Amino acid sequence: MQAFTANRPTLKVSLLLGILLAAFWAASFVPTLVLALILSTLLSFILHPMVQWLEFRLGLRRSIAILCMFILLGGTLVLISVETIPMLFAKIQLLDSQFKTFPFEAKLNEAAQDLAKHVAVIDAKTISEKANTAIATGLQVLGNSLEDVVPFAVTLSIVPFITYFVLAEGDR
């Protein structure tokens, strides 16, 4: 193969592009795994210098240095979560209570009537119905998006394991 592609840069580039396209095509069948691999690679690039510092400066074994970095990173994430998640839930509950008491139908009809006054070709009832349909569709899409949180959380739970093994291999 080496002699075949030695003086043919166009063939080399075409072969490389073909391999990349095949890899992307194969990866499209397992997008969550690809996401986990990408996140693990990025996390290992970020943690690698700190692991090396702990290993060479403090003389820790590589596995202990990785464990220390995971504990530090995990502790930071837990502290951030403890502070932000209750605040986020409080804001969502406040928004929900305000949304329940808001006269949405009346305001939507009022806005459609006002628009129909200024633009003669617009029917207020049609505008109101289409706006209600669009809002209902938007809420359904939001609900479907929330269903995707669980698979994403499972993907995130795989990331530390992959990252550990990438970091444990070091420069190999």
Side-chain angles (χ1 to χ4, degrees):
M1 183 82 173
Q2 182 69 16
F4 182 68
T5 61
N7 292 326
R8 297 185 176 129
T10 306
L11 185 60
K12 286 180 182 179
V13 169
S14 299
L15 189 61
L16 181 62
L17 283 174
I19 291 170
L20 282 173
L21 285 173
F24 282 126
W25 176 75
S28 70
F29 291 110
V30 283
T32 55
L33 178 62
V34 172
L35 177 65
L37 289 173
I38 290 171
L39 290 175
S40 297
T41 304
L42 289 174
L43 190 59
S44 66
F45 277 131
I46 292 169
L47 295 178
H48 181 72
M50 294 177 271
V51 168
Q52 276 190 325
W53 185 81
L54 288 173
E55 185 180 15
F56 294 119
R57 293 286 178 145
L58 299 181
L60 296 175
R61 287 190 328 205
R62 189 163 191 86
S63 59
I64 301 297
I66 294 170
L67 183 64
C68 289
M69 289 311 305
F70 277 1
I71 290 171
L72 181 68
L73 183 65
T76 304
L77 289 175
V78 166
L79 284 176
I80 290 171
S81 298
V82 165
E83 290 296 321
T84 58
I85 288 176
M87 182 177 59
L88 182 65
F89 278 125
K91 293 287 185 183
I92 289 172
Q93 286 175 342
L94 177 66
L95 184 64
D96 182 50
S97 67
Q98 289 175 345
F99 190 69
K100 285 179 182 175
T101 60
F102 186 74
F104 188 72
E105 286 288 327
K107 292 290 184 182
L108 185 61
N109 289 333
E110 183 182 313
Q113 295 280 342
D114 190 43
L115 185 62
K117 280 185 203 173
H118 296 295
V119 181
V121 294
I122 293 179
D123 180 31
K125 186 175 181 182
T126 305
I127 293 292
S128 177
E129 289 172 0
K130 287 189 178 188
N132 276 333
T133 304
I135 290 168
T137 304
L139 289 174
Q140 186 176 11
V141 167
L142 178 66
N144 291 341
S145 297
L146 291 176
E147 289 175 359
D148 294 337
V149 169
V150 173
F152 183 70
V154 170
T155 300
L156 285 181
S157 69
I158 296 170
V159 169
F161 296 107
I162 298 171
T163 303
Y164 175 80
F165 288 111
V166 170
L167 285 172
E169 289 299 314
D171 295 331
R172 292 180 248 161

